[in-house]
Structures are given as C-alpha cells and as structure tokens.
C-alpha cells in the first residue's frame, strides 16, 4: 500500500508542461523566419536597383522564323543569369532573376527565349558570345555538365544565362551550335581584318620611309 501511495505522489510531482514558454519559442522562431525572408526580399530589391541601368530586353522579331532558319529547339528550365564569369553575381533586373520553364529556339537570327509566366527575351545573333557546359549558376548547383550556359552581350555588359534541357544529352549539341552562330555573327566578323602591314603603309602615306636595316645592324 505504501508503495502505491509513493508511486501516486511521484506522478503528481511530475513537472507540468510550460505552455507559455513553448509558445514564446514558437513565436520567436516564426518572427526569425519572417525577418530572414524580409531581408532576402530587401536584398533582391537593392540588387535590382543597382542593375536598373540594364536596358529593356530585346523582343523576338515580329515575323516568325521559317523552318529553314531554325537550327535547334529545346524545352527545359531557365535557372537565372549572372555577370559573365561570375556564377554568384546574380542579375535580377528586367526579370532575369526569375527561374521558370523555358522554350528555346536557335535560329539564324539569334536565340529566342520563351518563358511561361515570366518575361520572354531574344538574343540577336550578333550579341551572342559563346556557350559552355557547366554545373552551377546564380546559386543553383547541378551535376557536372548539367547546365547549358550561354554568354551574351546586352547594354554593354556580358551576361551568362543558364538553361537545363529536359534531355541533358542535348547540351553538347546546343553549346556547339551557339558557338558556331556566335562565330558567324560576333564582333570579330563585323569589320575588315586588320592588315599586318598597316603601320608600314601609314608611314609611307605620311612621306616617311620605313627604316632599312644595314648589314651591320643587330638582328
């Protein structure tokens, strides 16, 4: 009997749950999460303000591309854009920071980027700078070669934009095709090649003869 009485006394003496303390911790945790989210949003807006000088994104040509000019098509995801060569320097201006589904079409005119639920844009062929396979962009990390990164110029800046095809095996073909189009239309092909003999011709035009080497001159 005494044992039962002692057992009952121990059960009564068990510590009662402090609900006020639990609620306080829960509310504090929720406030911390809200604060972190608010700080992230403010950082996003601040970055967008710094990048506000980025011009409006080019729109696709009004006339649809004919089948002969289409080089490749791809469905997949757009994972963001950064300053070229800096995979963490995210660009958020003009909607480039919004991840989305994407439909890519590479034509003789350039790269058409259609993003359901986000802003579409078009990269003219003359503004393409190259493409490569990579594993990360804008804080998103995938497997090696899991991203197709296209480098292009806009508003005097070079940007990297990351795409992942629904069929990753298509990435190498895309990288090669974008590089080929960039090589055909890039700045290197815009003007005449510089003549290696130009300095000598300029000297002659100005009435100055290039110095002639005598037999005793050092080589």
């Amino acid at each position: 009997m005494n044992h039962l009485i002692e057992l009952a006394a121990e059960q009564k003496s068990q510590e009662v749950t402090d609900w006020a303390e639990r609620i306080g911790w829960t509310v504090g945790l929720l406030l911390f999460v809200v604060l972190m989210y608010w700080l992230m949003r403010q950082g996003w807006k601040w970055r967008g303000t710094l990048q506000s000088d980025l011009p409006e994104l080019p729109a696709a040509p009004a006339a649809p591309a004919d089948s002969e000019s289409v080089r490749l098509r791809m469905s997949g995801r757009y994972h963001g854009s950064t300053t070229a060569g800096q995979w963490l320097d995210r660009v958020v201006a003009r909607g480039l920071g919004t991840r989305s589904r994407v439909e890519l079409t590479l034509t003789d005119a350039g790269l058409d980027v259609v993003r359901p639920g986000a802003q579409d844009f078009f990269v003219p062929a003359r503004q393409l700078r190259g493409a490569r396979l990579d594993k990360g962009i804008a804080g998103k990390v995938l497997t090696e070669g899991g991203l197709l990164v296209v480098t292009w110029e806009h508003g005097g800046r070079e940007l990297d934009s990351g795409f992942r095809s629904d069929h990753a095996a298509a990435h190498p073909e895309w990288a090669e095709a974008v590089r080929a189009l960039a090589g055909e239309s890039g700045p290197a092909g815009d003007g005449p090649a510089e003549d290696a003999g130009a300095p000598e011709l300029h000297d002659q035009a100005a009435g100055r003869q290039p110095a002639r080497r005598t037999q005793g001159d050092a080589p």
Side-chain angles (χ1 to χ4, degrees):
M1 180 63 71
N2 291 337
H3 176 69
L4 293 176
I5 294 174
E6 291 176 0
L7 183 59
E10 287 178 1
Q11 290 178 348
K12 289 182 179 180
S13 65
Q14 287 181 355
E15 185 178 350
V16 179
T17 302
D18 189 345
W19 288 106
E21 183 178 356
R22 283 196 173 187
I23 292 173
W25 277 103
T26 302
V27 171
L29 180 60
L30 289 175
L31 289 175
F32 177 76
V33 171
V34 171
L35 176 62
M36 291 297 101
Y37 178 78
W38 181 80
L39 289 174
M40 289 173 62
R41 292 292 300 173
Q42 292 301 111
W44 186 281
K45 291 180 180 179
W46 175 74
R47 183 177 287 269
T49 301
L50 291 180
Q51 299 167 354
S52 60
D53 60 335
L54 191 70
E56 289 289 340
L57 300 176
D66 59 79
S67 57
E68 293 184 358
S69 70
V70 174
R71 302 191 177 195
L72 286 173
R73 295 185 188 274
M74 182 177 87
S75 296
R77 290 200 64 83
Y78 168 78
H79 284 290
S81 295
T82 66
T83 300
Q86 302 181 36
W87 77 287
L88 288 177
D89 188 14
R90 190 169 189 171
V91 176
V92 302
R94 309 303 180 191
L96 289 175
T98 305
R99 293 189 172 113
S100 64
R101 289 287 301 172
V102 71
E103 298 289 334
L104 289 182
T105 305
L106 185 68
T107 70
D108 293 343
L111 180 65
D112 190 16
V113 184
V114 177
R115 301 192 295 156
Q119 183 175 354
D120 303 337
F121 61 94
F122 181 77
V123 183
R126 66 181 181 277
Q127 292 176 219
L128 288 170
R129 296 294 179 263
R132 68 181 187 275
L133 303 186
D134 213 325
K135 63 179 180 180
I137 194 166
K140 181 71 174 181
V141 179
L142 300 171
T143 57
E144 189 68 44
L147 275 176
L148 169 70
V149 178
V150 176
T151 303
W152 53 294
E153 185 272 332
H154 180 57
R157 300 183 184 182
E158 287 202 352
L159 307 174
D160 282 342
S161 293
F163 306 92
R164 179 172 174 82
S165 172
D166 291 337
H167 305 284
H171 288 173
E173 181 184 10
W174 264 85
E176 184 177 349
V178 172
R179 287 195 295 264
L181 182 57
E184 295 170 11
S185 311
D190 289 345
E194 198 171 311
D195 190 350
E200 183 174 339
L201 293 176
H202 291 323
D203 284 342
Q204 292 176 353
R208 296 190 299 271
Q209 295 296 327
R212 297 182 181 278
R213 181 179 298 169
T214 61
Q215 188 172 5
D217 289 341

